[in-house]
Structure formats: structure tokens, C-alpha cells
Amino acid sequence: MKSYTKPITFFLAIVAPLLIVTLVLREPEPDHELLNALRAKYAVKRKPGVDHSKFEILQKNFTNPHEITAACLSCHTERGEELMNSAHFTWEREAFIPGRGVTYLGKKNLVNNFCTGVQSNEGSCMKCHAGYGWNDKSFDFSNPYNIDCVVCHDNTGTYEKASGAAGYPKMGPEGPDFKAIVASVGQPKSAGCGTCHFGGGGGNNVKHGDLELGLLTGGRDVDVHMAVDGLNMNCVDCHTAENHKMKGRYYAVSSSNTQRLNCEDCHTETPHQQNILNEHSIKVACQTCHIPVYAKVNATKMYWDWATATRKKDGKEFEVLDEDGNIVYTSIKGDFVWDKMVKPEYLWFNGTADHHLLTDKVDTSQNILKINTLFGEYRDRDSKIIPVKVHRGRQPYDAENLTIIQAKLWDKDKGKGALWLDLDWERSIEEGMAYIPLPYSGKHSFIKTEMFMPVNHMVSPAAEAVTCKECHTRDNGRLAGLTDFYMPGRDRNRTLDLAGQLLLILSFLGIVVHSAIRALSSRKHNTIQSH
């Protein structure tokens, strides 16, 4: 009788394991019927808010926004104290930073490489402050009536702060209908959050890249959480608040590993069916795989060169637009570079950060100044690989004192040194540094800078997640810049390579020897039976 021992052995030892591995790692086809059922089951269910139109105190015709705050606090008696201690109002947080100790940092006093900073520009920047009247250093942070309640709780979509009004809305006949607004206040909506968080840096999606108006109308291909054809979640469904302190951190201005919002809070640490994917979550953040690109709908600003500002054409300021309508040059700000469908850059992050302060010295031996530093490395047990947007640019620094410069950019009137009105770098620097106050030598130059912003939104459907081969490759993969660890498929290690080759050879020899023994044994058995 013919023996099938050898082909069976080959199939069991070689072919079957390969088939099993292929089937286990293959991305399964999505069950759309099941997905729709899950969305219906787990969609966020919001409780109806209180009908504020029935409260007598809100029936009056408000002419002053401070009156609205007083009316709110007459019922919500503890909320004023909470808000005055929140980062949305103080624009700073207490944090411990290694090498610095306890610090009080935030948008209030940090520098960036977009509009450089708040100080001396409060009248303009406070369009995104949860308060009224922060026009200069004299603003009273202890006065609860300076809180702007409706900027977050307006549900009509009609409330808007005026440009250059230090946080006040338009007043008079052209202003918002306060009576209608206070009658419909409720839980914050994404559109309200987006007024500031989508428009940071001077326009829609300028700053973050993953926060923009497209989230309000996009489908699951834009973001699976906020999708209008999916869960249709609001910002506050994830960014919950306790005592008006929101969950979540923006690490361009935050430093400590507290009040963080993690994907695992909802999805657990083992959300995948395949264990090999769950094991990745030990060192790889969810966003790294599930946000393959950002700026999916509108372009985001990737580079800002302040050194080219103040140029004129025919004695007048001018601007140049690209084919999509994005400003690529303007006399008041300089050159810009925009991009869409951007692949993130990647780095290790343990949840803590440091920032370059106005009093820190600039190291001119380094080609690039880091505006903020996200701490982390492979050996740090708390570190994971995260995706980031890196905004690059050139901005002014004091060529003799070697400190970064805070320029005066905005004012209501010409002739007061505001760069955006007078187009005079020297005067704007002098006014800005005197306001802080910090010394200025009278000589400035420009230095390349980088600002690192974690990418957390625009989560793609699972079928569009980053594939294995996009990282595990020697052909300039996504993680090519992270070289402090060994990654299979990308890195070579002589010892491991030799061990692997030896293991394959021994396995093959074992199969050959085992098959030969089985064949000889079978032939001997047949010979004995024939006798």
C-alpha cells in the first residue's frame, strides 16, 4: 500500500501553520448589520435639559452680558467658584515639571509658534476666553460676574464674541438676542466648543489639524465618533466635566499627567479580537493605528514664517491665496504652508511635557528650538507611541539676550506698535517686551521652531486603520524615526537573525529526520508483515 506519510507531514508542519497564521491575522469583513445594531445600542443617550424659558429671572431684556452671568449664578450658586478655578477661565494650571518644580503655565503666559502669545494681545485673543473684559493685566479673575456662561451653554448657535472686544459679544441692535439665548441654554454642543477649538490660530483647522468644522457634518470616514451617520457624539460625551474641570489635555500648554482622556476609558485595554493587536496597546496608543491621516476635510497650517512679514507691494500690504483659498502669504503674518490628508509624525509620550518659557535662553547651536517637549522613551513604562502634528516655523528672538520674543501684534488703533496695523517689527517687539516686562537688547533675529501637538480626533473606521506593513518595513515606514527599540520586519539584529535562521534550519532538519524515520519505520513494518 502506498504511503502518504511524507506529504501529510509536510502539510501539517509547513502549510497548515501558514494557513492558520494568515486566517488569524486577516482583517475580517465588517458585518454592517451588526455594526448598525451596535451603534443603535451604544449611541450616547442624552437626558433632556431643563427648560430655562420658564424661569422668571430670565424673562428680562438683558442689555449687559454681566447681568446674564448674575442671573445664572443666582440659581447655580457654586458654579461661579468652579469656573473661576478652571483652565477655561484662568488659562493656566499648576503643574510640577522635572527641572522646574511647581509652575503655573498655560495660554495666559506661554509662547507658541502661531500668533506667538497672548500677552499684549489680550483684546484680540480673548475672543476665545470664557469671560468678559480681559483686555490687559488689570483683569479681575476673582470677580464671578466676569464669567461668560453662555459662550459654552448657548444652544441656539447664535451667540458669538466680537473680534477685538476682549471677550464681549457685539452690543446693541447688531448683537445677539440675549433673551432667546438664555431661554435655551443647556449642555454644551460641539458647534459651540468648535467656535474656539476649531478656530484656534486664526481660522478653521489652522492649529490642530484634527479639529475643524468638517467634524460637524462629516461621516464615519471623517470621524467614527462624531459622524452624522454614526454615533453623532458631542464633544462633552467624551470630554466630561466635574466641577467645570474638563477631562482632556492640550499638551501644547499643559504639562502634567492628570485629567487625561484615554481611549481605554470606553474601549478597555483589550478591544481587539486578536491578542497580537491587544498586545500592541502596551506600547502603542490607539490613535497611532486608528488615525492614519488628519486634516481630512480642510487643510491645516504646517509652517509659518514670521521672518517674511511686513513686505509690501506698491507701498501697501497684500496677501496671496492658493487654489483652495488658503492664505499662503500675508504682509501682517508672513509665509504659510498648508496640507491636507496629512500622515502624522510619531514619538514616545508618557503624558508629561515641558515648555520653552520667555525667560529661557535660546541655544543658537541648535538648529531648531522646541516650543514644547513631550517627554517619553521606549524604556519608560508609561510611554506609548503617539501620532503628532508638528507645526514648524520661524519666529523672532533677541539676538543678544538670547530669549524668545513676545511681539505686540494687535491693537484697536494704528501708531501704537501693533505689527498687524503698523507693519514695523522693531516697534512691535519693543512694545511687546515692555508689556511683559522683559529686557530687549534692540537686536532681533529669527530662529526655526517646532511645536508638537498630539493628534486625537478624526478616528477612521477599523478597515482603514494603519496596516502592519506600514510600520513593519525597512522601506521608510511610519515609525522610521523611532530608533530606540527593535521592531520585527524593520530592524536587523545579527544575533536574532542568526537565531531565527538556525531555528528554521533545525525545524526543517527535524521535519526531514522525522519523515525519514517514519518512512523507514513504515517500510520495515511492511517488510515484516510480508514475511
Side-chain angles (χ1 to χ4, degrees):
M1 185 175 73
K2 188 176 180 180
S3 173
Y4 294 96
T5 302
K6 293 177 72 174
I8 290 174
T9 300
F10 177 79
F11 177 82
L12 293 176
I14 304 297
V15 179
L18 289 175
L19 286 173
I20 292 171
V21 170
T22 302
L23 289 171
V24 167
L25 295 181
R26 183 173 61 88
E27 179 72 33
E29 287 296 320
D31 186 336
H32 295 287
E33 186 175 335
L34 176 60
L35 285 174
N36 289 332
L38 288 172
R39 282 198 289 271
K41 181 178 180 181
Y42 293 107
V44 176
K45 298 176 176 61
R46 303 179 182 91
K47 295 180 181 180
V50 174
D51 184 358
H52 284 74
S53 65
K54 299 185 181 301
F55 296 120
E56 183 178 353
I57 195 171
L58 301 180
Q59 301 300 314
K60 63 183 293 186
N61 292 317
F62 295 98
T63 59
N64 185 319
H66 296 279
E67 295 176 355
I68 298 175
T69 303
C72 295
L73 297 181
S74 67
C75 290
H76 300 281
T77 55
E78 305 300 321
R79 304 292 82 85
E81 191 67 28
E82 293 173 2
L83 203 285
M84 286 192 298
N85 286 288
S86 75
H88 274 106
F89 190 72
T90 62
W91 276 23
E92 69 178 4
R93 292 185 177 97
E94 178 184 294
F96 177 83
I97 301 177
R100 293 192 188 275
V102 176
T103 59
Y104 292 87
L105 300 176
K107 291 175 69 68
K108 183 179 184 179
N109 55 6
L110 283 174
V111 67
N112 62 63
N113 65 357
F114 287 89
C115 291
T116 71
V118 168
Q119 298 178 81
S120 77
N121 304 304
E122 290 92 343
S124 177
C125 297
M126 296 316 145
K127 186 177 181 180
C128 279
H129 180 239
Y132 301 120
W134 186 357
N135 194 50
D136 53 35
K137 299 176 184 177
S138 66
F139 180 71
D140 187 357
F141 287 93
S142 65
N143 184 354
Y145 300 129
N146 283 339
I147 294 169
D148 184 351
C149 301
V150 293
V151 71
C152 293
H153 293 282
D154 167 45
N155 276 192
T156 67
T158 62
Y159 182 80
E160 183 181 3
K161 290 175 177 282
S163 296
Y168 283 104
K170 288 183 178 180
M171 306 299 289
E174 296 182 358
D177 185 344
F178 290 135
K179 190 173 182 180
I181 289 170
V182 298
S184 63
V185 293
Q187 187 182 56
K189 292 185 176 180
S190 296
C193 301
T195 300
C196 290
H197 292 284
F198 297 168
N204 181 48
N205 208 33
V206 167
K207 182 178 286 187
H208 299 282
D210 64 335
L211 287 172
E212 62 144 308
L213 291 170
L215 291 169
L216 301 178
T217 56
R220 296 184 72 251
D221 59 323
V222 176
D223 185 86
V224 296
H225 299 109
M226 297 181 69
V228 294
D229 60 351
L231 295 177
N232 198 23
M233 296 173 70
N234 271 332
C235 299
V236 294
D237 292 328
C238 287
H239 294 277
T240 56
E242 183 175 348
N243 299 327
H244 273 91
K245 292 184 178 179
M246 306 294 294
K247 196 172 186 180
R249 290 272 181 165
Y250 173 45
Y251 279 91
V253 295
S254 299
S255 304
S256 59
N257 191 18
T258 58
Q259 292 176 242
R260 292 188 72 190
L261 177 60
N262 299 302
C263 302
E264 293 87 347
D265 295 344
C266 291
H267 294 284
T268 76
E269 295 182 351
T270 55
H272 304 98
Q273 294 180 349
Q274 294 90 7
N275 285 334
I276 191 171
L277 297 180
N278 289 327
E279 289 171 0
H280 274 66
S281 67
I282 298 173
K283 279 296 182 182
V284 181
C286 304
Q287 300 93 316
T288 301
C289 297
H290 290 281
I291 308 179
V293 293
Y294 61 91
K296 294 180 179 180
V297 182
N298 294 291
T300 188
K301 193 172 289 183
M302 304 300 296
Y303 181 81
W304 185 332
D305 188 353
W306 278 103
T308 61
T310 72
R311 293 174 181 170
K312 298 179 181 179
K313 182 180 292 186
D314 299 325
K316 298 179 180 179
E317 65 179 77
F318 70 100
E319 65 181 24
V320 180
L321 307 181
D322 66 14
E323 59 184 12
D324 294 322
N326 299 306
I327 299 174
V328 294
Y329 179 81
T330 175
S331 298
I332 65 172
K333 296 181 179 180
D335 283 296
F336 304 136
V337 174
W338 302 78
D339 202 1
K340 286 178 66 175
M341 300 297 287
V342 186
K343 283 186 179 181
E345 297 181 48
Y346 301 91
L347 48 76
W348 291 104
F349 184 46
N350 64 14
T352 63
D354 195 7
H355 310 274
H356 187 90
L357 307 184
L358 288 165
T359 52
D360 291 343
K361 293 295 183 181
V362 173
D363 185 356
T364 55
S365 67
Q366 300 294 319
N367 291 326
I368 297 173
L369 169 67
K370 290 185 178 181
I371 295 296
N372 65 328
T373 301
L374 304 185
F375 292 129
E377 60 174 341
Y378 173 72
R379 292 181 295 274
D380 182 349
R381 61 178 297 173
D382 295 323
S383 291
K384 290 187 178 184
I385 298 172
I386 66 164
V388 294
K389 172 186 173 180
V390 184
H391 183 259
R392 296 177 168 89
R394 284 201 299 167
Q395 59 194 109
Y397 76 101
D398 188 316
E400 290 191 359
N401 293 326
L402 299 180
T403 54
I404 203 74
I405 282 172
Q406 170 65 72
K408 178 180 175 63
L409 304 176
W410 178 89
D411 201 286
K412 289 184 177 180
D413 305 307
K414 286 187 175 183
K416 295 183 178 180
L419 184 70
W420 292 345
L421 293 178
D422 300 336
L423 295 182
D424 183 343
W425 260 124
E426 274 301 316
R427 177 76 189 281
S428 70
I429 291 172
E430 290 170 0
E431 295 291 338
M433 296 301 281
Y435 182 90
I436 296 174
L438 281 176
Y440 172 53
S441 69
K443 296 180 181 179
H444 76 274
S445 187
F446 292 86
I447 188 169
K448 293 179 180 179
T449 58
E450 291 181 341
M451 185 170 170
F452 299 84
M453 296 171 284
V455 176
N456 295 302
H457 306 89
M458 293 194 169
V459 177
S460 295
E464 299 174 14
V466 174
T467 61
C468 301
K469 65 181 181 181
E470 289 184 70
C471 296
H472 295 272
T473 177
R474 295 189 178 96
D475 187 21
N476 194 30
R478 285 180 179 256
L479 303 184
L482 299 180
T483 58
D484 59 345
F485 70 104
Y486 175 85
M487 185 166 68
R490 182 194 69 175
D491 301 322
R492 294 185 182 277
N493 182 291
R494 184 170 179 80
T495 301
L496 289 177
D497 287 346
L498 288 174
Q501 292 168 4
L502 182 61
L503 185 62
L504 286 173
I505 293 171
L506 291 175
S507 298
F508 179 75
L509 289 175
I511 293 170
V512 171
V513 172
H514 178 73
S515 298
I517 292 174
R518 291 292 299 273
L520 290 172
S521 176
S522 176
R523 182 178 299 176
K524 183 177 180 180
H525 179 71
N526 291 336
T527 302
I528 293 173
Q529 282 188 333
S530 64
H531 291 287

